Amino acid sequence: MVQAPIHTEKPKNALLEALDQIVDSSNQDLIQENANVDGQSPMGQMSKFASEAAKHYAKQFMLSPAVTEAMENNFIHPHDLDFMPTGTTTCCQIPLGEILKNGFNTGHGYMREPNDILSAMALASIIFQSNQNMQHGGQSYPMFDVDLAPYVHKTFEKHNKRIARYTTNLTDEERAKAAWQETDRDVYQACEAFVHNCNSMHSRGGGQVPFVSVNYGTDTSKEGRLLIKNLLLATKAGLGNGETPIFPIQIFKMKKGINFEPGEPNHDLYQLALETTAKRLFPNFSFIDASFNAQYYDGTPASEVAYMGCRTRVMQNRHGAENSIKRGNLSFTSINLVKIALTTGDVGTFFEQLDHYIDLVIQQLIERYQFQIKKKAKHFSFLYSQGVWKDSEQLTAEDTLEDALKQGTLSIGFIGLAEALKALIGVHHGESKNAYLLGQRIVCHMRDRADQAAAEYDLNFSLIATPAEGLSGKFTKIDQQTFGKIPGVTERDYYTNSFHIPVYYPIRAIDKIEREGAFHHLCNGGHISYIECDGDVSKNTKALDTLVKTMAANDFGYGSINHPVDRCTDCGYTGIIDRACPKCHNADEAKIERIRRITGYLVGDMKKWNSAKRAEESQRVKHQTSSSNADAQLSLFSGDRSCE
């Protein structure tokens, strides 16, 4: 019998050491860098092997020495560096209605236009799955209700004609009523199947379900309203055993005159959205009337802002129509504000060093862009041959991508504003108005530099509030090795997400909304803010309505409401579970799924989170409606929203 070799010594090479940790499943933070991927599955392991090797290749052969040095010194982080050698872009808002109308080819046969809503939503799943393999980020439908409404109508017509053939004693009105009832049933079944597909079909070599989002809420037609209603009902009902659906990330678009107040045509659907998010954490809420979104709105669905689930926003455009349709982010790179603050120590020097690293990030984004545009359309057959990406319709297989990719965005990101402020002046922007104003000045400066880069290079540079998942702990762990554990700065396992007030800081919900709302308009590449609620919010949707309206009043672009959603795998109970299931009294923690939001999306099992995000979640405080005197004094922050 041949004995398997025993690996007795850890490799010294950093790449081989990472591969060894993947084989052993010994480094949770490495194999679960992305909580949406099962890093211990065969395909998850293969993906991580490829990821680590590709990152090594990019660092060795594709980045300038100054950029590599800044990365190694923990000042900057190019996201999805493992995909850089492939030339992929991050994400896209897919024109679902146009693709369904024209038909499409996944590479294995042509799909003609569907004739009913069941087929249309099945094809919507396939489009998501196909395009997921073309890009390294998420996929989204910006006008889900508007795009699918014609297929709801086709379904109605089919039922109406069938009933007319077999029933002669009904009036036209009675026949139409019966046809709409059957259409309603079909739309629910189609929505139910779509939600199940989004949580079960796999892409990227079987390693993960597609990372997908849908935007909806403003179609006031009978067909569009039926689609919105049934998608919310199917989401509220949950999956086969009552599980909370993780995908699609759902974004309900708020618009005054359409769904904002009682008496408006879709206000009832907004109320259903509140009930659904109270049970399932989705939908999130976007705000068309926000000052920086309203400027693009011309009354057409295409002009409504659309977000990716995590936060990405693509609207401004130097090369065509300013909307989200058929466009996305090309890549983004984040700056470690905390380390800059720790290595400078005073505000003046901080800004000098910040400019230095912004220059390097711009350089790196341009270098990556120059590689991306040299790729050919044939390398991304679905994305550029099916009309998914703007200005790709006329490309031949051998054409390069300059004209198409200039429609996308290049984003400068940042992390740890709160800790940087603590390092500079001893308090963060939740504690002090001076810190708040300095935080605004820092973010304003980064936005100004992004705008300057856009003008200089004639490309769509933007500033994004980084969705820090793996990066949240990576930056911190390395800085702890250099600076130790500094109270309020490096003492925790994570840095605070972008401009957010620290999750552990006690603050009223209204004050958090006021202070974070002032940063949304600055981060034109994407932003999100959360409110943490306690208890069973399904019994108090009026409070949720107040939170959403307060977000709107404070110029939010995109927000969500977090609260505990747990599920007992023994009996299927879904709700709040403390130590034991209130239904079957199961007290085995291994049989309790705790659904939580990680950066904008949900994860059905927190065991898949990396250690930094688990630590961050454990320290999240609930945002109360009562306040201390100090909170009351700080509630005047909302008046300071300029960059002057």
Side-chain angles (χ1 to χ4, degrees):
M1 187 174 91
V2 178
Q3 184 174 354
I6 299 174
H7 190 62
T8 58
E9 183 179 347
K10 293 287 184 183
K12 303 301 182 183
N13 178 278
L15 171 60
L16 293 180
E17 184 171 356
L19 299 184
D20 195 52
Q21 291 172 346
I22 295 167
V23 171
D24 295 340
S25 295
S26 59
N27 185 340
Q28 174 80 0
D29 292 345
L30 176 65
I31 64 176
Q32 289 303 156
E33 190 174 17
N34 182 344
N36 188 35
V37 178
D38 183 357
Q40 299 189 55
S41 69
M43 290 300 103
Q45 283 193 317
M46 285 298 294
S47 177
K48 285 305 295 180
F49 276 127
S51 173
E52 293 304 309
K55 280 190 269 190
H56 180 78
Y57 181 89
K59 290 175 183 177
Q60 292 293 316
F61 303 110
M62 302 186 73
L63 298 174
S64 299
V67 171
T68 304
E69 182 181 8
M71 290 173 57
E72 292 175 348
N73 289 333
N74 211 40
F75 284 104
I76 69 171
H77 176 82
H79 292 265
D80 302 292
L81 184 65
D82 47 349
F83 280 93
M84 186 175 178
T86 71
T88 53
T89 56
T90 304
C91 56
C92 185
Q93 294 280 2
I94 300 174
L96 176 61
E98 181 179 321
I99 295 174
L100 290 177
K101 178 70 176 176
N102 296 335
F104 61 94
N105 191 330
T106 63
H108 304 286
Y110 181 77
M111 307 292 175
R112 63 179 180 271
E113 182 182 10
N115 288 318
D116 59 31
I117 190 60
L118 290 160
S119 298
M121 294 195 78
L123 293 179
S125 301
I126 292 170
I127 292 167
F128 265 156
Q129 186 178 36
S130 299
N131 202 61
Q132 186 74 72
N133 293 310
M134 301 289 108
Q135 302 189 274
H136 58 252
Q139 319 303 316
S140 179
Y141 292 136
M143 304 181 296
F144 198 55
D145 44 2
V146 172
D147 285 343
L148 287 171
Y151 302 99
V152 176
H153 189 72
K154 282 189 173 189
T155 304
F156 163 75
E157 288 185 325
K158 183 184 295 185
H159 286 308
N160 200 33
K161 290 177 181 177
R162 179 182 55 78
I163 293 170
R165 285 198 303 270
Y166 296 108
T167 307
T168 59
N169 61 343
L170 295 179
T171 65
D172 290 348
E173 184 178 347
E174 290 170 335
R175 186 172 65 249
K177 182 179 180 181
W180 278 117
Q181 288 174 341
E182 295 197 23
T183 300
D184 193 4
R185 179 202 62 199
D186 284 354
V187 173
Y188 180 83
Q189 290 180 340
C191 290
E192 184 180 49
F194 176 75
V195 171
H196 279 70
N197 281 336
C198 287
N199 289 274
S200 59
M201 63 185 184
H202 284 75
S203 62
R204 293 181 180 163
Q208 68 180 103
V209 293
F211 193 104
V212 295
S213 309
V214 294
N215 295 256
Y216 59 82
T218 56
D219 190 338
T220 59
S221 71
K222 188 178 183 70
E223 294 84 354
R225 283 175 46 77
L226 209 60
L227 188 284
I228 299 167
K229 180 194 78 171
N230 282 296
L231 181 60
L232 288 167
L233 290 174
T235 303
K236 190 177 178 182
L239 301 176
N241 288 324
E243 303 97 328
T244 291
I246 305 306
F247 290 109
I249 303 169
Q250 299 180 40
I251 302 118
F252 191 93
K253 297 190 280 189
M254 299 295 297
K255 179 74 182 76
K256 292 178 180 177
I258 293 179
N259 52 34
F260 202 77
E261 299 290 354
E264 295 175 351
N266 282 3
H267 186 259
D268 58 332
L269 297 176
Y270 165 54
Q271 295 301 307
L272 181 57
L274 292 174
E275 294 173 14
T276 306
T277 202
K279 186 172 183 180
R280 300 298 184 185
L281 290 163
F282 285 146
N284 302 335
F285 298 91
S286 66
F287 300 90
I288 296 170
D289 295 317
S291 61
F292 45 89
N293 292 331
Q295 64 177 308
Y296 300 107
Y297 182 69
D298 62 11
T300 63
S303 68
E304 297 172 357
V305 66
Y307 285 84
M308 289 286 168
C310 271
R311 71 201 61 202
T312 303
R313 171 186 178 273
V314 176
M315 290 297 286
Q316 77 280 7
N317 190 7
R318 302 179 67 86
H319 300 286
E322 293 192 298
N323 59 39
S324 301
I325 313 301
K326 306 176 76 168
R327 302 176 61 220
N329 179 251
L330 305 180
S331 68
F332 67 105
T333 298
S334 291
I335 298 172
N336 183 352
L337 296 180
V338 191
K339 182 159 189 184
I340 297 176
L342 288 170
T343 54
T344 56
D346 69 88
V347 173
T349 311
F350 173 86
F351 276 96
E352 291 176 8
Q353 286 298 299
L354 178 59
D355 272 331
H356 171 71
Y357 289 107
I358 291 174
D359 287 339
L360 284 177
V361 167
I362 292 170
Q363 175 186 337
Q364 186 270 319
L365 290 170
I366 289 292
E367 289 174 353
R368 189 167 185 168
Y369 173 76
Q370 291 297 334
F371 179 77
Q372 289 171 319
I373 63 175
K374 291 175 184 176
K375 301 293 284 186
K376 296 182 179 180
K378 67 181 181 181
H379 296 140
F380 312 93
S381 56
F382 190 82
L383 182 63
Y384 299 118
S385 67
Q386 306 299 314
V388 176
W389 189 273
K390 188 174 176 61
D391 287 355
S392 67
E393 297 87 345
Q394 306 306 317
L395 295 177
T396 68
E398 296 297 324
D399 284 337
T400 52
L401 304 174
E402 296 95 326
D403 290 339
L405 291 193
K406 68 183 181 182
Q407 300 288 344
T409 60
L410 297 166
S411 295
I412 302 167
F414 63 98
I415 188 173
L417 178 65
E419 289 82 6
L421 292 169
K422 290 283 281 191
L424 288 171
I425 62 174
V427 286
H428 60 66
H429 53 310
E431 299 173 297
S432 156
K433 187 167 185 176
N434 286 337
Y436 171 86
L437 293 174
L438 177 57
Q440 239 194 343
R441 181 181 163 199
I442 291 169
V443 179
C444 280
H445 184 77
M446 290 189 288
R447 169 61 185 275
D448 286 344
R449 289 299 314 276
D451 291 346
Q452 291 166 14
E456 179 179 353
Y457 294 99
D458 197 27
L459 293 170
N460 295 314
F461 276 90
S462 62
L463 180 68
I464 187 171
T466 293
E469 184 179 334
L471 182 59
S472 176
K474 174 183 176 293
F475 270 163
T476 313
K477 184 180 293 185
I478 296 173
D479 284 348
Q480 285 175 346
Q481 295 170 3
T482 304
F483 302 101
K485 294 192 175 184
I486 303 170
V489 183
T490 59
E491 66 179 328
R492 292 177 171 81
D493 292 335
Y494 58 91
Y495 286 151
T496 297
N497 202 324
S498 60
F499 57 73
H500 290 180
I501 289 169
V503 298
Y504 54 81
Y505 181 68
I507 186 172
R508 291 192 311 167
I510 188 171
D511 294 329
K512 186 176 192 292
I513 291 170
E514 280 184 352
R515 292 169 215 182
E516 292 189 3
F519 293 94
H520 280 225
H521 78 284
L522 298 174
C523 299
N524 59 334
H527 42 254
I528 192 171
S529 289
Y530 315 103
I531 293 298
E532 297 284 338
C533 293
D534 202 1
D536 186 356
V537 296
S538 64
K539 295 179 172 61
N540 193 5
T541 55
K542 185 175 180 181
L544 300 186
D545 174 64
T546 299
L547 289 174
V548 173
K549 298 291 179 59
T550 304
M551 290 177 182
N554 285 275
D555 214 25
F556 264 43
Y558 183 36
S560 66
I561 300 167
N562 292 344
H563 54 88
V565 175
D566 305 321
R567 189 178 78 90
C568 173
T569 59
D570 263 4
C571 70
Y573 171 83
T574 298
I576 297 175
I577 301 175
D578 293 324
R579 289 188 175 88
C581 173
K583 183 178 178 181
C584 72
H585 309 296
N586 161 48
D588 184 354
E589 184 61 29
K591 295 182 178 180
I592 305 297
E593 289 183 351
R594 301 196 182 276
I595 313 296
R596 300 293 185 270
R597 200 182 311 274
I598 187 163
T599 60
Y601 67 99
L602 305 181
V603 177
D605 186 352
M606 285 178 58
K607 299 178 188 70
K608 293 182 180 179
W609 290 28
N610 62 59
S611 61
K613 293 308 288 186
R614 287 202 305 271
E616 184 257 313
E617 192 280 335
S618 71
Q619 295 173 16
R620 294 176 185 176
V621 299
K622 308 304 179 184
H623 300 124
Q624 306 294 336
T625 56
S626 60
S627 68
S628 66
N629 289 334
D631 280 332
Q633 292 171 4
L634 293 176
S635 65
L636 299 176
F637 283 22
S638 60
D640 300 287
R641 292 177 177 271
S642 70
C643 284
E644 296 303 321

Short mmCIF file of all heavy atoms in Angstrom, two decimals, residues 482-511:
data_model
loop_
_atom_site.label_atom_id
_atom_site.label_comp_id
_atom_site.label_asym_id
_atom_site.label_seq_id
_atom_site.Cartn_x
_atom_site.Cartn_y
_atom_site.Cartn_z
N THR A 482 2.01 47.12 13.20
CA THR A 482 2.90 48.28 13.18
C THR A 482 2.70 49.18 14.39
O THR A 482 3.67 49.63 15.02
CB THR A 482 2.66 49.10 11.90
OG1 THR A 482 2.84 48.26 10.76
CG2 THR A 482 3.62 50.28 11.83
N PHE A 483 1.44 49.45 14.73
CA PHE A 483 1.14 50.46 15.74
C PHE A 483 0.63 49.89 17.06
O PHE A 483 0.45 50.64 18.02
CB PHE A 483 0.08 51.43 15.19
CG PHE A 483 0.48 52.12 13.92
CD1 PHE A 483 -0.02 51.68 12.69
CD2 PHE A 483 1.36 53.19 13.93
CE1 PHE A 483 0.35 52.30 11.51
CE2 PHE A 483 1.74 53.81 12.76
CZ PHE A 483 1.23 53.38 11.55
N GLY A 484 0.38 48.59 17.11
CA GLY A 484 -0.23 48.02 18.29
C GLY A 484 -1.72 48.33 18.33
O GLY A 484 -2.30 48.79 17.35
N LYS A 485 -2.33 48.09 19.48
CA LYS A 485 -3.76 48.32 19.63
C LYS A 485 -3.99 49.66 20.32
O LYS A 485 -3.89 49.77 21.55
CB LYS A 485 -4.42 47.17 20.39
CG LYS A 485 -4.39 45.86 19.62
CD LYS A 485 -5.28 44.81 20.25
CE LYS A 485 -5.33 43.55 19.40
NZ LYS A 485 -6.25 42.53 19.92
N ILE A 486 -4.31 50.66 19.52
CA ILE A 486 -4.54 52.02 20.01
C ILE A 486 -6.02 52.19 20.30
O ILE A 486 -6.86 51.97 19.41
CB ILE A 486 -4.07 53.06 18.97
CG1 ILE A 486 -2.60 52.85 18.63
CG2 ILE A 486 -4.32 54.47 19.46
CD1 ILE A 486 -2.13 53.67 17.45
N PRO A 487 -6.39 52.59 21.51
CA PRO A 487 -7.81 52.74 21.85
C PRO A 487 -8.55 53.65 20.87
O PRO A 487 -8.08 54.74 20.54
CB PRO A 487 -7.78 53.35 23.25
CG PRO A 487 -6.47 52.90 23.83
CD PRO A 487 -5.52 52.87 22.67
N GLY A 488 -9.69 53.14 20.39
CA GLY A 488 -10.53 53.91 19.48
C GLY A 488 -10.03 53.95 18.05
O GLY A 488 -10.71 54.48 17.17
N VAL A 489 -8.84 53.39 17.82
CA VAL A 489 -8.27 53.45 16.46
C VAL A 489 -8.01 52.04 15.93
O VAL A 489 -8.67 51.59 14.99
CB VAL A 489 -6.97 54.29 16.44
CG1 VAL A 489 -6.43 54.40 15.01
CG2 VAL A 489 -7.20 55.67 17.03
N THR A 490 -7.07 51.32 16.54
CA THR A 490 -6.72 49.98 16.05
C THR A 490 -7.05 48.88 17.05
O THR A 490 -6.63 47.73 16.85
CB THR A 490 -5.21 49.91 15.73
OG1 THR A 490 -4.47 50.21 16.93
CG2 THR A 490 -4.83 50.89 14.64
N GLU A 491 -7.80 49.20 18.09
CA GLU A 491 -8.03 48.21 19.15
C GLU A 491 -9.00 47.10 18.75
O GLU A 491 -8.99 46.02 19.34
CB GLU A 491 -8.54 48.89 20.42
CG GLU A 491 -9.92 49.53 20.27
CD GLU A 491 -10.39 50.17 21.57
OE1 GLU A 491 -10.03 49.66 22.64
OE2 GLU A 491 -11.12 51.18 21.49
N ARG A 492 -9.84 47.34 17.77
CA ARG A 492 -10.81 46.33 17.35
C ARG A 492 -10.28 45.55 16.16
O ARG A 492 -9.22 45.86 15.61
CB ARG A 492 -12.15 46.99 17.04
CG ARG A 492 -12.81 47.56 18.30
CD ARG A 492 -14.11 48.28 17.99
NE ARG A 492 -14.82 48.62 19.21
CZ ARG A 492 -14.55 49.67 19.98
NH1 ARG A 492 -13.58 50.52 19.62
NH2 ARG A 492 -15.24 49.90 21.09
N ASP A 493 -11.03 44.54 15.75
CA ASP A 493 -10.60 43.68 14.65
C ASP A 493 -10.97 44.24 13.28
O ASP A 493 -10.73 43.59 12.27
CB ASP A 493 -11.21 42.28 14.79
CG ASP A 493 -10.66 41.53 15.99
OD1 ASP A 493 -9.53 41.84 16.41
OD2 ASP A 493 -11.37 40.65 16.51
N TYR A 494 -11.55 45.41 13.24
CA TYR A 494 -12.05 45.97 11.98
C TYR A 494 -11.98 47.48 12.03
O TYR A 494 -11.92 48.09 13.10
CB TYR A 494 -13.52 45.55 11.78
CG TYR A 494 -14.42 45.99 12.92
CD1 TYR A 494 -15.06 47.22 12.91
CD2 TYR A 494 -14.59 45.18 14.04
CE1 TYR A 494 -15.85 47.64 13.97
CE2 TYR A 494 -15.39 45.58 15.11
CZ TYR A 494 -16.01 46.81 15.07
OH TYR A 494 -16.78 47.22 16.12
N TYR A 495 -11.97 48.08 10.84
CA TYR A 495 -12.14 49.53 10.70
C TYR A 495 -13.59 49.79 10.28
O TYR A 495 -14.21 48.97 9.60
CB TYR A 495 -11.19 50.12 9.66
CG TYR A 495 -9.76 50.22 10.12
CD1 TYR A 495 -8.71 50.16 9.20
CD2 TYR A 495 -9.43 50.41 11.46
CE1 TYR A 495 -7.39 50.26 9.59
CE2 TYR A 495 -8.11 50.51 11.87
CZ TYR A 495 -7.09 50.43 10.92
OH TYR A 495 -5.78 50.54 11.32
N THR A 496 -14.08 50.95 10.64
CA THR A 496 -15.46 51.31 10.33
C THR A 496 -15.63 51.52 8.83
O THR A 496 -14.79 52.13 8.16
CB THR A 496 -15.86 52.57 11.11
OG1 THR A 496 -15.79 52.28 12.50
CG2 THR A 496 -17.26 53.02 10.75
N ASN A 497 -16.74 51.05 8.34
CA ASN A 497 -17.08 51.15 6.92
C ASN A 497 -17.15 52.60 6.47
O ASN A 497 -17.91 53.40 7.01
CB ASN A 497 -18.45 50.47 6.72
CG ASN A 497 -18.68 50.03 5.31
OD1 ASN A 497 -18.25 50.69 4.37
ND2 ASN A 497 -19.36 48.91 5.16
N SER A 498 -16.35 52.97 5.50
CA SER A 498 -16.38 54.26 4.80
C SER A 498 -16.60 55.44 5.75
O SER A 498 -15.80 55.67 6.66
CB SER A 498 -17.43 54.24 3.68
OG SER A 498 -18.73 54.00 4.18
N PHE A 499 -17.70 56.20 5.57
CA PHE A 499 -17.98 57.38 6.39
C PHE A 499 -18.89 57.09 7.57
O PHE A 499 -19.33 58.00 8.27
CB PHE A 499 -18.63 58.48 5.53
CG PHE A 499 -19.91 58.05 4.84
CD1 PHE A 499 -21.09 57.88 5.54
CD2 PHE A 499 -19.92 57.81 3.47
CE1 PHE A 499 -22.27 57.48 4.91
CE2 PHE A 499 -21.08 57.42 2.83
CZ PHE A 499 -22.25 57.25 3.55
N HIS A 500 -19.20 55.82 7.81
CA HIS A 500 -20.17 55.49 8.85
C HIS A 500 -19.68 55.88 10.24
O HIS A 500 -18.48 55.88 10.52
CB HIS A 500 -20.47 53.99 8.85
CG HIS A 500 -21.24 53.54 7.66
ND1 HIS A 500 -21.61 52.23 7.45
CD2 HIS A 500 -21.74 54.22 6.60
CE1 HIS A 500 -22.29 52.13 6.32
NE2 HIS A 500 -22.37 53.33 5.79
N ILE A 501 -20.61 56.22 11.09
CA ILE A 501 -20.33 56.35 12.52
C ILE A 501 -20.13 54.94 13.06
O ILE A 501 -20.84 54.01 12.67
CB ILE A 501 -21.50 57.08 13.22
CG1 ILE A 501 -21.49 58.55 12.79
CG2 ILE A 501 -21.40 56.95 14.74
CD1 ILE A 501 -22.72 59.32 13.19
N PRO A 502 -19.16 54.71 13.94
CA PRO A 502 -18.85 53.35 14.38
C PRO A 502 -20.07 52.60 14.88
O PRO A 502 -20.93 53.17 15.57
CB PRO A 502 -17.84 53.57 15.51
CG PRO A 502 -17.16 54.86 15.16
CD PRO A 502 -18.23 55.71 14.53
N VAL A 503 -20.13 51.32 14.54
CA VAL A 503 -21.30 50.51 14.89
C VAL A 503 -21.46 50.36 16.39
O VAL A 503 -22.57 50.11 16.88
CB VAL A 503 -21.22 49.11 14.24
CG1 VAL A 503 -21.21 49.21 12.73
CG2 VAL A 503 -20.00 48.32 14.74
N TYR A 504 -20.37 50.50 17.15
CA TYR A 504 -20.42 50.31 18.60
C TYR A 504 -20.80 51.58 19.34
O TYR A 504 -21.02 51.55 20.55
CB TYR A 504 -19.07 49.81 19.11
CG TYR A 504 -17.90 50.69 18.71
CD1 TYR A 504 -17.60 51.86 19.40
CD2 TYR A 504 -17.11 50.35 17.61
CE1 TYR A 504 -16.54 52.68 19.01
CE2 TYR A 504 -16.06 51.16 17.22
CZ TYR A 504 -15.78 52.31 17.91
OH TYR A 504 -14.74 53.13 17.52
N TYR A 505 -20.91 52.71 18.64
CA TYR A 505 -21.15 53.99 19.31
C TYR A 505 -22.65 54.19 19.54
O TYR A 505 -23.44 54.15 18.59
CB TYR A 505 -20.60 55.14 18.47
CG TYR A 505 -20.79 56.50 19.10
CD1 TYR A 505 -20.10 56.86 20.25
CD2 TYR A 505 -21.68 57.43 18.55
CE1 TYR A 505 -20.27 58.11 20.84
CE2 TYR A 505 -21.85 58.68 19.12
CZ TYR A 505 -21.15 59.00 20.27
OH TYR A 505 -21.32 60.24 20.85
N PRO A 506 -23.08 54.40 20.79
CA PRO A 506 -24.52 54.59 21.05
C PRO A 506 -24.99 55.94 20.54
O PRO A 506 -24.44 56.98 20.89
CB PRO A 506 -24.60 54.51 22.59
CG PRO A 506 -23.24 54.89 23.07
CD PRO A 506 -22.27 54.42 22.03
N ILE A 507 -26.02 55.91 19.72
CA ILE A 507 -26.52 57.13 19.09
C ILE A 507 -27.97 56.91 18.69
O ILE A 507 -28.37 55.80 18.33
CB ILE A 507 -25.65 57.50 17.86
CG1 ILE A 507 -26.06 58.86 17.27
CG2 ILE A 507 -25.69 56.41 16.80
CD1 ILE A 507 -25.11 59.35 16.18
N ARG A 508 -28.76 57.96 18.76
CA ARG A 508 -30.15 57.86 18.31
C ARG A 508 -30.20 57.63 16.80
O ARG A 508 -29.34 58.10 16.06
CB ARG A 508 -30.91 59.14 18.62
CG ARG A 508 -31.18 59.41 20.08
CD ARG A 508 -32.18 60.54 20.22
NE ARG A 508 -31.83 61.70 19.40
CZ ARG A 508 -32.65 62.72 19.14
NH1 ARG A 508 -33.89 62.70 19.62
NH2 ARG A 508 -32.27 63.74 18.41
N ALA A 509 -31.22 56.94 16.36
CA ALA A 509 -31.39 56.69 14.94
C ALA A 509 -31.45 57.99 14.15
O ALA A 509 -30.79 58.13 13.11
CB ALA A 509 -32.66 55.87 14.70
N ILE A 510 -32.20 58.97 14.64
CA ILE A 510 -32.36 60.22 13.90
C ILE A 510 -31.04 60.97 13.79
O ILE A 510 -30.72 61.58 12.77
CB ILE A 510 -33.45 61.11 14.53
CG1 ILE A 510 -33.73 62.31 13.62
CG2 ILE A 510 -33.06 61.56 15.94
CD1 ILE A 510 -34.94 63.12 14.06
N ASP A 511 -30.19 60.89 14.84
CA ASP A 511 -28.90 61.57 14.79
C ASP A 511 -27.94 60.87 13.83
O ASP A 511 -27.19 61.52 13.11
CB ASP A 511 -28.29 61.64 16.19
CG ASP A 511 -29.10 62.52 17.13
OD1 ASP A 511 -29.71 63.48 16.64
OD2 ASP A 511 -29.13 62.24 18.34
#
